[in-house]
Amino acid sequence: MVATLLHEIPLQGGDVTCGVVRVGDTVRRPASASTPAVHALLRHLEAVGFDGAPRVVGMDEFGREVLTFVPGTTGLRAESASDEALVGLAGLLRRYHDATVGFPLTLDGWESGSNDDKAPEVIGHCDVTPENVVFRGPGRPVAMIDFELARPTTRLFDVVTTLRHWAPISDPVDRPRLLRTVDVGARIRLFCDAYGVPPRDRRRLLDVARLRFHRSYAVMHARAAAGGDWATMWAGGAGQRIRRASAWLDVHEDELYAHLV
């Protein structure tokens, strides 16, 4: 049991987990049904020497999980929106995926969510948003945080989930200002090159993106019906943003595909 003796500082940025605070050099988060699986994953990452994730400290007297605080900045800034940052992020995701190889893909207890139809290959982070990537220096991504949506999946599905936010595969009206006018196809190609996505997966990438939009919409709609933070996100237009992203992909599929093959 880890005692709480210092002042708690609320941490902002996440969409689906309230009550996250910093206490000294640790982060305290409400525990969930997936916490044991996530802790097993984080301990595995530490054991194999992957330095791009928090470490597990334990649980505190309030039943919250205690993780190490990863210093740096999160969110989208000019330096983190750059092509150099995108290349770095692809490398970080590849190292993470490689580090999960050997971790049991049959372990129960993960948060459910949309997924690929193919057999799992790795434990995907499945939520690599700008708020969940820690940067240091001039656009250098060093770690991913907030693993509560992690689950067994394919490498390609986690790549697609990441590109949804970072290419970004979305209608320009919904993109962050810094990414509103970027060449999405070029950024997808840059990321795939840096990650080392093989040709067979590049040919399938846009189909998987479309599959993810369809299934994410259904999953979010079901979760929103239960209330809580998911309902707040849905009320804020999350479903409409998914629909617009899917329609934008349909219109621009040919030009995006040309960057991939």
Short mmCIF file of all heavy atoms in Angstrom, two decimals, residues 11-20 29 74 125-132 145-149 164-165 174 212 220 223-224 227-239 241-242:
data_model
loop_
_atom_site.label_atom_id
_atom_site.label_comp_id
_atom_site.label_asym_id
_atom_site.label_seq_id
_atom_site.Cartn_x
_atom_site.Cartn_y
_atom_site.Cartn_z
N LEU A 11 -4.85 16.42 -12.83
CA LEU A 11 -4.27 16.38 -14.17
C LEU A 11 -5.39 16.38 -15.19
O LEU A 11 -6.35 15.61 -15.07
CB LEU A 11 -3.39 15.13 -14.35
CG LEU A 11 -2.16 15.06 -13.44
CD1 LEU A 11 -1.42 13.75 -13.67
CD2 LEU A 11 -1.23 16.24 -13.69
N GLN A 12 -5.28 17.23 -16.18
CA GLN A 12 -6.31 17.38 -17.20
C GLN A 12 -5.83 16.77 -18.51
O GLN A 12 -4.66 16.50 -18.71
CB GLN A 12 -6.64 18.86 -17.41
CG GLN A 12 -7.04 19.60 -16.14
CD GLN A 12 -8.30 19.06 -15.53
OE1 GLN A 12 -9.22 18.67 -16.24
NE2 GLN A 12 -8.37 19.03 -14.21
N GLY A 13 -6.79 16.60 -19.45
CA GLY A 13 -6.42 16.19 -20.79
C GLY A 13 -7.10 14.94 -21.28
O GLY A 13 -7.40 14.79 -22.44
N GLY A 14 -7.38 13.99 -20.38
CA GLY A 14 -8.04 12.76 -20.80
C GLY A 14 -9.54 12.95 -20.97
O GLY A 14 -10.14 13.84 -20.37
N ASP A 15 -10.14 12.08 -21.76
CA ASP A 15 -11.58 12.18 -22.02
C ASP A 15 -12.41 11.23 -21.18
O ASP A 15 -13.57 11.50 -20.90
CB ASP A 15 -11.87 11.90 -23.50
CG ASP A 15 -11.39 13.02 -24.40
OD1 ASP A 15 -11.54 14.19 -24.00
OD2 ASP A 15 -10.89 12.72 -25.49
N VAL A 16 -11.86 10.10 -20.79
CA VAL A 16 -12.70 9.06 -20.21
C VAL A 16 -12.33 8.66 -18.79
O VAL A 16 -12.97 7.78 -18.22
CB VAL A 16 -12.69 7.80 -21.10
CG1 VAL A 16 -13.28 8.10 -22.46
CG2 VAL A 16 -11.30 7.23 -21.26
N THR A 17 -11.33 9.27 -18.18
CA THR A 17 -10.96 8.94 -16.80
C THR A 17 -10.86 10.21 -15.98
O THR A 17 -9.93 11.00 -16.15
CB THR A 17 -9.62 8.18 -16.74
OG1 THR A 17 -9.69 7.03 -17.57
CG2 THR A 17 -9.33 7.74 -15.31
N CYS A 18 -11.83 10.42 -15.08
CA CYS A 18 -11.79 11.56 -14.18
C CYS A 18 -11.07 11.18 -12.90
O CYS A 18 -10.88 10.00 -12.59
CB CYS A 18 -13.21 12.02 -13.86
SG CYS A 18 -14.10 12.72 -15.26
N GLY A 19 -10.65 12.18 -12.14
CA GLY A 19 -10.03 11.92 -10.85
C GLY A 19 -8.57 11.55 -10.90
O GLY A 19 -8.04 11.00 -9.93
N VAL A 20 -7.89 11.86 -12.02
CA VAL A 20 -6.46 11.58 -12.12
C VAL A 20 -5.70 12.75 -11.51
O VAL A 20 -5.93 13.91 -11.87
CB VAL A 20 -6.03 11.38 -13.58
CG1 VAL A 20 -4.54 11.05 -13.66
CG2 VAL A 20 -6.85 10.27 -14.23
N ARG A 29 -4.64 7.20 -10.10
CA ARG A 29 -5.76 7.06 -11.02
C ARG A 29 -6.80 6.12 -10.40
O ARG A 29 -6.43 5.13 -9.77
CB ARG A 29 -5.31 6.45 -12.35
CG ARG A 29 -4.23 7.21 -13.08
CD ARG A 29 -3.71 6.39 -14.28
NE ARG A 29 -4.80 5.98 -15.13
CZ ARG A 29 -5.25 6.72 -16.15
NH1 ARG A 29 -4.68 7.87 -16.45
NH2 ARG A 29 -6.25 6.30 -16.89
N THR A 74 2.50 17.26 -22.93
CA THR A 74 1.57 16.52 -23.75
C THR A 74 0.71 17.51 -24.54
O THR A 74 0.76 18.72 -24.30
CB THR A 74 0.67 15.61 -22.90
OG1 THR A 74 -0.08 16.43 -21.99
CG2 THR A 74 1.49 14.61 -22.12
N HIS A 125 -1.91 -0.09 -27.59
CA HIS A 125 -2.27 0.98 -26.66
C HIS A 125 -3.70 1.43 -26.92
O HIS A 125 -4.48 1.67 -25.99
CB HIS A 125 -1.30 2.16 -26.82
CG HIS A 125 -1.55 3.29 -25.88
ND1 HIS A 125 -2.58 4.19 -26.07
CD2 HIS A 125 -0.90 3.69 -24.76
CE1 HIS A 125 -2.57 5.10 -25.10
NE2 HIS A 125 -1.56 4.81 -24.29
N CYS A 126 -4.05 1.57 -28.20
CA CYS A 126 -5.41 1.84 -28.67
C CYS A 126 -5.95 3.21 -28.30
O CYS A 126 -7.16 3.45 -28.45
CB CYS A 126 -6.38 0.74 -28.19
SG CYS A 126 -5.98 -0.90 -28.84
N ASP A 127 -5.08 4.12 -27.85
CA ASP A 127 -5.54 5.47 -27.53
C ASP A 127 -4.37 6.45 -27.59
O ASP A 127 -4.19 7.28 -26.69
CB ASP A 127 -6.19 5.50 -26.14
CG ASP A 127 -7.03 6.75 -25.90
OD1 ASP A 127 -7.55 7.32 -26.88
OD2 ASP A 127 -7.19 7.14 -24.73
N VAL A 128 -3.58 6.35 -28.66
CA VAL A 128 -2.38 7.19 -28.78
C VAL A 128 -2.80 8.56 -29.33
O VAL A 128 -2.57 8.91 -30.48
CB VAL A 128 -1.32 6.54 -29.67
CG1 VAL A 128 -0.02 7.35 -29.64
CG2 VAL A 128 -1.02 5.11 -29.21
N THR A 129 -3.43 9.34 -28.48
CA THR A 129 -3.84 10.70 -28.81
C THR A 129 -2.72 11.67 -28.43
O THR A 129 -1.80 11.31 -27.68
CB THR A 129 -5.11 11.09 -28.07
OG1 THR A 129 -4.81 11.16 -26.65
CG2 THR A 129 -6.21 10.06 -28.30
N PRO A 130 -2.77 12.92 -28.89
CA PRO A 130 -1.75 13.90 -28.47
C PRO A 130 -1.69 14.08 -26.95
O PRO A 130 -0.62 14.38 -26.41
CB PRO A 130 -2.20 15.18 -29.17
CG PRO A 130 -2.86 14.70 -30.42
CD PRO A 130 -3.60 13.45 -30.00
N GLU A 131 -2.82 13.86 -26.27
CA GLU A 131 -2.83 14.00 -24.81
C GLU A 131 -2.16 12.84 -24.11
O GLU A 131 -1.81 12.94 -22.93
CB GLU A 131 -4.28 14.12 -24.31
CG GLU A 131 -4.99 15.41 -24.70
CD GLU A 131 -5.38 15.45 -26.17
OE1 GLU A 131 -5.60 14.35 -26.76
OE2 GLU A 131 -5.43 16.56 -26.73
N ASN A 132 -1.95 11.74 -24.83
CA ASN A 132 -1.38 10.54 -24.21
C ASN A 132 0.04 10.24 -24.66
O ASN A 132 0.53 9.13 -24.46
CB ASN A 132 -2.28 9.33 -24.51
CG ASN A 132 -3.59 9.39 -23.75
OD1 ASN A 132 -3.71 10.10 -22.75
ND2 ASN A 132 -4.57 8.64 -24.22
N ILE A 145 1.30 7.35 -22.23
CA ILE A 145 0.66 7.21 -20.93
C ILE A 145 -0.80 6.80 -21.13
O ILE A 145 -1.26 6.69 -22.26
CB ILE A 145 0.75 8.52 -20.12
CG1 ILE A 145 0.12 9.69 -20.89
CG2 ILE A 145 2.21 8.83 -19.78
CD1 ILE A 145 0.06 11.00 -20.10
N ASP A 146 -1.50 6.58 -20.03
CA ASP A 146 -2.93 6.25 -20.05
C ASP A 146 -3.21 4.99 -20.87
O ASP A 146 -3.75 5.04 -21.98
CB ASP A 146 -3.75 7.42 -20.60
CG ASP A 146 -3.74 8.63 -19.66
OD1 ASP A 146 -3.11 8.53 -18.59
OD2 ASP A 146 -4.35 9.65 -20.00
N PHE A 147 -2.88 3.86 -20.30
CA PHE A 147 -3.03 2.56 -20.97
C PHE A 147 -4.37 1.89 -20.67
O PHE A 147 -4.52 0.70 -20.92
CB PHE A 147 -1.89 1.63 -20.55
CG PHE A 147 -0.58 1.91 -21.23
CD1 PHE A 147 0.20 2.99 -20.85
CD2 PHE A 147 -0.11 1.10 -22.25
CE1 PHE A 147 1.42 3.26 -21.47
CE2 PHE A 147 1.10 1.34 -22.88
CZ PHE A 147 1.86 2.44 -22.48
N GLU A 148 -5.35 2.62 -20.17
CA GLU A 148 -6.59 1.97 -19.72
C GLU A 148 -7.39 1.35 -20.86
O GLU A 148 -8.23 0.48 -20.63
CB GLU A 148 -7.47 2.94 -18.93
CG GLU A 148 -8.13 4.04 -19.74
CD GLU A 148 -7.28 5.28 -19.82
OE1 GLU A 148 -6.06 5.20 -19.56
OE2 GLU A 148 -7.83 6.34 -20.13
N LEU A 149 -7.16 1.77 -22.11
CA LEU A 149 -7.87 1.19 -23.24
C LEU A 149 -7.02 0.14 -23.99
O LEU A 149 -7.43 -0.36 -25.04
CB LEU A 149 -8.31 2.27 -24.23
CG LEU A 149 -9.31 3.29 -23.70
CD1 LEU A 149 -9.72 4.26 -24.80
CD2 LEU A 149 -10.55 2.61 -23.12
N ARG A 164 -5.43 8.00 -36.90
CA ARG A 164 -6.71 8.71 -36.78
C ARG A 164 -6.51 10.09 -36.16
O ARG A 164 -7.12 11.07 -36.57
CB ARG A 164 -7.66 7.86 -35.93
CG ARG A 164 -8.88 8.60 -35.37
CD ARG A 164 -9.96 8.73 -36.41
NE ARG A 164 -11.20 9.21 -35.83
CZ ARG A 164 -11.60 10.47 -35.85
NH1 ARG A 164 -10.85 11.40 -36.41
NH2 ARG A 164 -12.75 10.82 -35.31
N HIS A 165 -5.61 10.17 -35.18
CA HIS A 165 -5.39 11.42 -34.46
C HIS A 165 -4.20 12.22 -34.99
O HIS A 165 -4.18 13.45 -34.86
CB HIS A 165 -5.15 11.13 -32.97
CG HIS A 165 -6.27 10.39 -32.32
ND1 HIS A 165 -7.45 10.98 -31.97
CD2 HIS A 165 -6.38 9.07 -31.98
CE1 HIS A 165 -8.26 10.09 -31.42
NE2 HIS A 165 -7.64 8.92 -31.42
N ASP A 174 -12.91 19.09 -38.12
CA ASP A 174 -12.69 18.52 -36.79
C ASP A 174 -11.22 18.42 -36.40
O ASP A 174 -10.91 17.98 -35.29
CB ASP A 174 -13.31 17.11 -36.73
CG ASP A 174 -14.81 17.14 -36.90
OD1 ASP A 174 -15.46 18.01 -36.30
OD2 ASP A 174 -15.34 16.28 -37.65
N ARG A 212 -12.70 0.49 -38.36
CA ARG A 212 -12.59 1.09 -37.03
C ARG A 212 -13.63 2.18 -36.83
O ARG A 212 -14.24 2.28 -35.75
CB ARG A 212 -11.19 1.66 -36.81
CG ARG A 212 -11.01 2.28 -35.43
CD ARG A 212 -9.69 2.97 -35.25
NE ARG A 212 -9.61 3.56 -33.93
CZ ARG A 212 -10.12 4.75 -33.60
NH1 ARG A 212 -10.74 5.48 -34.52
NH2 ARG A 212 -10.02 5.21 -32.38
N MET A 220 -18.91 3.42 -28.86
CA MET A 220 -19.10 4.66 -28.12
C MET A 220 -20.58 4.92 -27.86
O MET A 220 -20.96 5.40 -26.79
CB MET A 220 -18.48 5.84 -28.88
CG MET A 220 -16.97 5.83 -28.88
SD MET A 220 -16.28 7.39 -29.47
CE MET A 220 -16.74 8.48 -28.12
N ARG A 223 -21.59 2.72 -24.96
CA ARG A 223 -21.05 3.19 -23.69
C ARG A 223 -21.74 4.48 -23.23
O ARG A 223 -21.98 4.69 -22.04
CB ARG A 223 -19.54 3.43 -23.82
CG ARG A 223 -18.73 2.15 -23.87
CD ARG A 223 -17.28 2.42 -24.13
NE ARG A 223 -16.47 1.22 -23.99
CZ ARG A 223 -15.21 1.11 -24.38
NH1 ARG A 223 -14.61 2.15 -24.95
NH2 ARG A 223 -14.54 -0.01 -24.21
N ALA A 224 -22.06 5.34 -24.18
CA ALA A 224 -22.72 6.60 -23.84
C ALA A 224 -24.09 6.34 -23.22
O ALA A 224 -24.54 7.10 -22.35
CB ALA A 224 -22.87 7.47 -25.09
N GLY A 227 -24.15 6.29 -19.52
CA GLY A 227 -23.89 7.52 -18.79
C GLY A 227 -22.40 7.74 -18.52
O GLY A 227 -21.54 7.08 -19.10
N GLY A 228 -22.09 8.67 -17.66
CA GLY A 228 -20.71 8.96 -17.28
C GLY A 228 -19.96 9.75 -18.34
O GLY A 228 -20.55 10.49 -19.14
N ASP A 229 -18.63 9.60 -18.34
CA ASP A 229 -17.78 10.39 -19.23
C ASP A 229 -18.03 10.08 -20.69
O ASP A 229 -17.92 10.96 -21.55
CB ASP A 229 -16.30 10.14 -18.89
CG ASP A 229 -15.94 10.62 -17.49
OD1 ASP A 229 -16.53 11.62 -17.06
OD2 ASP A 229 -15.10 9.98 -16.84
N TRP A 230 -18.36 8.81 -21.01
CA TRP A 230 -18.64 8.47 -22.40
C TRP A 230 -19.88 9.21 -22.89
O TRP A 230 -19.93 9.64 -24.05
CB TRP A 230 -18.81 6.96 -22.55
CG TRP A 230 -17.54 6.19 -22.36
CD1 TRP A 230 -17.14 5.52 -21.25
CD2 TRP A 230 -16.49 6.02 -23.33
NE1 TRP A 230 -15.90 4.95 -21.45
CE2 TRP A 230 -15.49 5.24 -22.72
CE3 TRP A 230 -16.31 6.45 -24.64
CZ2 TRP A 230 -14.32 4.87 -23.37
CZ3 TRP A 230 -15.13 6.09 -25.31
CH2 TRP A 230 -14.16 5.31 -24.68
N ALA A 231 -20.87 9.35 -22.03
CA ALA A 231 -22.08 10.08 -22.41
C ALA A 231 -21.75 11.55 -22.66
O ALA A 231 -22.31 12.17 -23.58
CB ALA A 231 -23.14 9.95 -21.32
N THR A 232 -20.84 12.10 -21.85
CA THR A 232 -20.43 13.49 -22.05
C THR A 232 -19.74 13.67 -23.40
O THR A 232 -19.99 14.63 -24.13
CB THR A 232 -19.50 13.93 -20.91
OG1 THR A 232 -20.18 13.79 -19.66
CG2 THR A 232 -19.06 15.38 -21.09
N MET A 233 -18.85 12.74 -23.74
CA MET A 233 -18.16 12.80 -25.03
C MET A 233 -19.16 12.69 -26.19
O MET A 233 -19.06 13.40 -27.18
CB MET A 233 -17.13 11.66 -25.13
CG MET A 233 -15.93 11.83 -24.23
SD MET A 233 -14.85 10.38 -24.30
CE MET A 233 -14.40 10.37 -26.03
N TRP A 234 -20.12 11.78 -26.03
CA TRP A 234 -21.11 11.59 -27.09
C TRP A 234 -21.95 12.86 -27.26
O TRP A 234 -22.21 13.29 -28.39
CB TRP A 234 -21.99 10.40 -26.76
CG TRP A 234 -22.88 9.98 -27.88
CD1 TRP A 234 -24.19 10.32 -28.07
CD2 TRP A 234 -22.51 9.15 -28.98
NE1 TRP A 234 -24.67 9.74 -29.22
CE2 TRP A 234 -23.66 9.01 -29.80
CE3 TRP A 234 -21.34 8.49 -29.35
CZ2 TRP A 234 -23.66 8.25 -30.97
CZ3 TRP A 234 -21.34 7.73 -30.50
CH2 TRP A 234 -22.48 7.62 -31.30
N ALA A 235 -22.36 13.45 -26.14
CA ALA A 235 -23.15 14.68 -26.19
C ALA A 235 -22.36 15.82 -26.81
O ALA A 235 -22.94 16.75 -27.39
CB ALA A 235 -23.62 15.06 -24.79
N GLY A 236 -21.03 15.75 -26.70
CA GLY A 236 -20.17 16.77 -27.29
C GLY A 236 -19.90 16.58 -28.76
O GLY A 236 -19.10 17.32 -29.34
N GLY A 237 -20.51 15.57 -29.38
CA GLY A 237 -20.39 15.40 -30.82
C GLY A 237 -19.44 14.32 -31.28
O GLY A 237 -19.08 14.27 -32.46
N ALA A 238 -19.01 13.42 -30.37
CA ALA A 238 -18.05 12.38 -30.76
C ALA A 238 -18.58 11.51 -31.90
O ALA A 238 -17.84 11.17 -32.83
CB ALA A 238 -17.69 11.52 -29.55
N GLY A 239 -19.84 11.15 -31.83
CA GLY A 239 -20.42 10.31 -32.88
C GLY A 239 -20.43 11.00 -34.23
O GLY A 239 -20.10 10.40 -35.26
N ARG A 241 -18.42 13.33 -35.21
CA ARG A 241 -17.04 13.44 -35.71
C ARG A 241 -16.59 12.14 -36.37
O ARG A 241 -15.89 12.16 -37.39
CB ARG A 241 -16.09 13.83 -34.56
CG ARG A 241 -16.25 15.27 -34.11
CD ARG A 241 -15.14 15.69 -33.17
NE ARG A 241 -15.22 15.03 -31.88
CZ ARG A 241 -15.96 15.46 -30.86
NH1 ARG A 241 -16.70 16.55 -30.99
NH2 ARG A 241 -15.98 14.83 -29.70
N ILE A 242 -16.98 11.01 -35.79
CA ILE A 242 -16.65 9.72 -36.40
C ILE A 242 -17.32 9.59 -37.76
O ILE A 242 -16.70 9.16 -38.74
CB ILE A 242 -17.05 8.56 -35.48
CG1 ILE A 242 -16.21 8.56 -34.20
CG2 ILE A 242 -16.90 7.22 -36.21
CD1 ILE A 242 -16.66 7.55 -33.16
#
